Structures are given as structure tokens and as C-alpha cells.
Amino acid sequence: MDSIAHLQERFGKPGFVKFEEGRGGLGLVRINSDLASAEIYLHGAQVTHFQPRGASPVLFMSKHSSFAQSKAIRGGIPLVFPWFGANAADPKKPAHGFARLWQWDVESCDARSDGSVRIVFSLKQDAAMLQDWPHEFLIRYVVIVSSGLELTLEMRNGPSDAIEFEEAFHTYLSVGDSRNIVIEGLDGVEYIDKVEAGAEKKQEPGGIRISGETDRVYTNTQAPVLVIDPGLHRTIRVEKAFSDVTVVWNPWIQKAAAMADFGDDEWTAMVCVETANARPCSVKLPPGGIHRMWTRISL
Ligand code: TA6
């Protein structure tokens, strides 16, 4: 694993790409370009900040988040892999898999002629991961910071066996007041309602409004989603490709109070709109197969 100083030496770009020590002593890369500012922690390759020039931050970050190797950062865009939610076979394994708990390497960092910055992170399984998930793989995570934020998660399966996995960009969006937003793009789509013991439902027309704990897995949908936010006078657009699931989550009052790394009142400032592939739409790969999931978050 490269030290922060070595990463800065290899990939730093004076004036707009800087690798340094962030909260909890965790390494991060800060990007400041004419188009936007962003921060990505090497811990979990987690984007924790994205702010297009002239706009307010697009991503929510809890004021109570941990910044420690042993915990997921609460906010920004946690990476979910290779399972979504609790591990079906062993609930003692970390929820949402291990990708967000491991230290990622940096493969490349380029300032491009269109003013964007493209950084590629990689995660190769090691002995500890093999215990959690006994399959060879290599993941590359491409982050492009521009007026929008583009993410590609590329999963290359090893040569020996076919695999099935789940994945998500568990994106926390910053909103003025979650009770006043409307989420469009999922009308008529079937969803699994995790607040009602997995009941199967169909989204009513007129968009999604948050009026209580909301935890819905929309399946077989490739549609872009719009989060219309009168509080911040903006609309956030979440486009995607090679993703058949969109998850919408807001913990509301009780669940917010139950999370130590989340403020009791922070449920009004966020909504998760997650680009995913999860049961019943998980990803199956043959030996040597490659799968890429893509999303673009923009105003
Ligand atoms: O994506 C929604 C969800 O699966 C919720 O059920 C809730 O558990 C949320 O993720 C946060 O999970 P985490 O493990 O990050 O606390």
C-alpha cells in the first residue's frame, strides 16, 4: 500500500489534486478544479464530498461519522460489494460487504483537457478478504470529477469459478428537508418494501415522497431518477447504466436515533438514492468475466 506522501509524489497536481491525511488519520485525495471540488478517502475509496463550482455540496456527510479503519464512513458514497445488506449466510459478516472497509490502491490520476479529473482506484482481494468471500477478483473504481460526478465500478472475476455478487453506490444526497422532496423516475416500478417485511409493491404515480422510514428496493429499473428539492432550489439527477436496481432510503426519526454515527435530526438533511444490482437482480459472472456498473450524479 502506497503511503500518502508517495501517492502525492506520484499523482499530486499542484493547485488541484492533493493527497493528504484526512480525519482520523485516514488518507484522502482532495480535488479542486474550475468545475468542482471533491474528496475521496482511500478507506473504502469513498467519495465524501462533491460540490460543483457555484453550487452547495451534493453529498450528505454525517457530522457524527466515524473515520476509522474498522468502520464505514457515514455519508458520501459508500461502495457496497459483494453483498447488499446483511450477509444471508452469515449475519456476523459486515453489512453491505467489505469493499467500504478496506484500503484501496490508486492506479492512476489524470487531469483531462475538458477540465475533469479522472482517478482510478483498485482493490485486489487478500487473505483476509478471501475468508469473507473465497473468490479471486480485481475491482477497478473510476471516479471522474467534472460538473457532474461519474462513477464506474468494474469487477473482473478470477479465472477459476463462476460467481454471483451484489453491488451498489450507496449514495447519500444532501437535501434541504427530506419531507419536502419529490423523487421522480420510479412511477409504476415494482419494489420490495423493507419497512414492511419485504412486501412486494408497485410505485404509485406522482413520485415518491418521504413521510416516514423509507427503505425500498426498486427492481428491474434502468431509469434515471430526479430528486426535486425545493429546500435547496435544485434538482439532483442520478443516471445509471448496467444497474437494474435503485434503492431509496431515509431512516426517519427512530432509525436515525438508533445510529450512533448519525445525528438524531440528520434524517431531514439527506436521502439515499442508490444505483445497485442486488437480489433479485444480482450479477452473475462466468470465470474471467467482467461487469461494469455506471452512474452519473449531476445538478
Ligand atoms: O440501503 C438501505 C440500507 O440497506 C438500509 O436498510 C440501512 O441499513 C442502510 O442501508 C444503511 O446501512 P449501513 O450498514 O450503512 O448502516
Side-chain angles (χ1 to χ4, degrees):
M1 198 63 58
D2 259 352
S3 70
I4 278 295
H6 194 210
L7 288 171
Q8 174 59 15
E9 201 183 294
R10 289 176 65 194
F11 301 118
K13 305 207 185 300
F16 63 108
V17 176
K18 191 156 189 282
F19 287 80
E20 55 190 5
E21 211 170 85
R23 296 173 60 180
L26 299 177
L28 84 157
V29 54
R30 288 189 207 282
I31 293 162
N32 261 306
S33 73
D34 293 342
L35 301 174
S37 63
E39 286 177 7
I40 308 155
Y41 275 78
L42 297 172
H43 176 57
Q46 191 151 336
V47 181
T48 53
H49 174 76
F50 171 62
Q51 185 171 7
R53 213 43 80 204
S56 53
V58 172
L59 303 177
F60 164 86
M61 174 55 64
S62 171
K63 294 182 184 62
H64 303 260
S65 176
S66 307
F67 283 84
Q69 294 287 7
S70 58
K71 290 206 170 217
I73 296 170
R74 176 71 66 186
I77 306 176
L79 288 178
V80 173
F81 175 83
W83 58 82
F84 187 92
N87 180 292
D90 178 356
K92 287 195 300 299
K93 290 189 174 175
H96 288 322
F98 48 71
R100 64 179 182 173
L101 297 173
W102 290 86
Q103 187 84 350
W104 289 58
D105 289 322
V106 177
E107 183 182 289
S108 63
C109 176
D110 303 292
R112 308 200 296 176
S113 55
D114 63 359
S116 66
V117 175
R118 177 180 186 272
I119 298 191
V120 182
F121 300 89
S122 63
L123 183 70
K124 202 167 172 358
Q125 91 288 344
D126 64 12
M129 280 182 220
L130 280 170
Q131 276 176 10
D132 266 347
W133 202 60
H135 304 290
E136 271 187 70
F137 68 85
L138 171 68
I139 300 188
R140 296 174 71 248
Y141 180 36
V142 184
V143 178
I144 298 176
V145 176
S146 181
S147 52
L149 182 65
E150 255 191 83
L151 310 172
T152 302
L153 195 61
E154 177 189 274
M155 161 64 185
R156 291 169 185 264
N157 187 15
S160 47
D161 49 15
I163 55 166
E164 178 175 2
F165 64 92
E166 299 175 297
E167 57 184 352
F169 299 120
H170 196 295
T171 306
Y172 285 74
L173 298 173
S174 173
V175 297
D177 185 328
S178 54
R179 291 165 292 192
N180 300 332
I181 62 174
V182 182
I183 300 170
E184 290 186 350
L186 295 167
D187 287 6
V189 177
E190 292 184 351
Y191 67 92
I192 296 162
D193 189 340
K194 288 170 65 177
V195 173
E196 290 195 18
E200 295 184 0
K201 302 181 178 178
K202 191 169 199 171
Q203 183 54 44
E204 298 290 317
I208 303 165
R209 292 172 186 277
I210 307 292
S211 56
E213 182 186 351
T214 305
D215 195 348
R216 302 177 184 178
V217 179
Y218 290 85
T219 55
N220 299 302
T221 173
Q222 297 75 36
V225 165
L226 297 179
V227 177
I228 297 161
D229 178 5
L232 292 181
H233 309 293
R234 69 183 185 185
T235 294
I236 299 177
R237 181 178 176 83
V238 181
E239 300 163 88
K240 65 176 193 173
F242 309 112
S243 155
D244 292 329
V245 166
T246 296
V247 179
V248 175
W249 178 57
N250 183 282
W252 203 253
I253 301 164
Q254 217 173 347
K255 280 284 168 59
M259 291 188 282
D261 60 351
F262 190 90
D264 292 359
D265 59 354
E266 288 187 317
W267 58 274
T268 62
M270 54 68 71
V271 66
C272 281
V273 175
E274 306 162 31
T275 295
N277 285 302
R279 283 187 190 77
C281 307
S282 53
V283 178
K284 298 174 182 67
L285 273 186
I290 296 180
H291 171 79
R292 291 182 184 88
M293 179 170 73
W294 175 86
T295 198
R296 184 170 192 274
I297 301 162
S298 58
L299 294 179

